[in-house]
Amino acid sequence: MTSIFDYGPFTMVFNVSGQPVISLPLGHSDSGLPIGVQIIASYGREDLLFRIAAQLEQAMPWKDRTPRFFVGKH
């Protein structure tokens, strides 16, 4: 159990319960670090998460957004 908590302490409960979860990059801190929001739905309601994610992406597009310090191809 220790290795599970070390690997994903915020997702373990949902991995075990089978609840769908989505993490969305909705902002950046003042220092430029990305801030994500995790949204959880009831068992079998992946459709709800996809609809919420689509609406949030339209309202706050993140496709072309990168942190100030980016390592990799752009």
Side-chain angles (χ1 to χ4, degrees), residues 26 52-62 65:
L26 294 184
I52 291 170
Q55 290 179 8
L56 285 169
E57 187 172 15
Q58 283 183 343
M60 305 170 71
W62 57 74
R65 201 180 334 151

Side-chain angles (χ1 to χ4, degrees), residues 20 41-54:
S42 299
Y43 182 79
R45 293 303 314 266
E46 290 88 349
D47 63 310
L48 181 61
L49 291 179
F50 285 122
R51 288 198 313 264
I52 291 170

Side-chain angles (χ1 to χ4, degrees), residues 1 4-5 8-17:
M1 290 298 284
I4 292 172
F5 282 110
F10 304 112
T11 61
M12 192 200 78
V13 172
F14 307 108
N15 291 341
V16 171
S17 72

Side-chain angles (χ1 to χ4, degrees), residues 30-46:
D30 290 339
S31 61
L33 295 173
I35 297 174
V37 174
Q38 186 177 35
I39 303 171
I40 302 127
S42 299
Y43 182 79
R45 293 303 314 266
E46 290 88 349

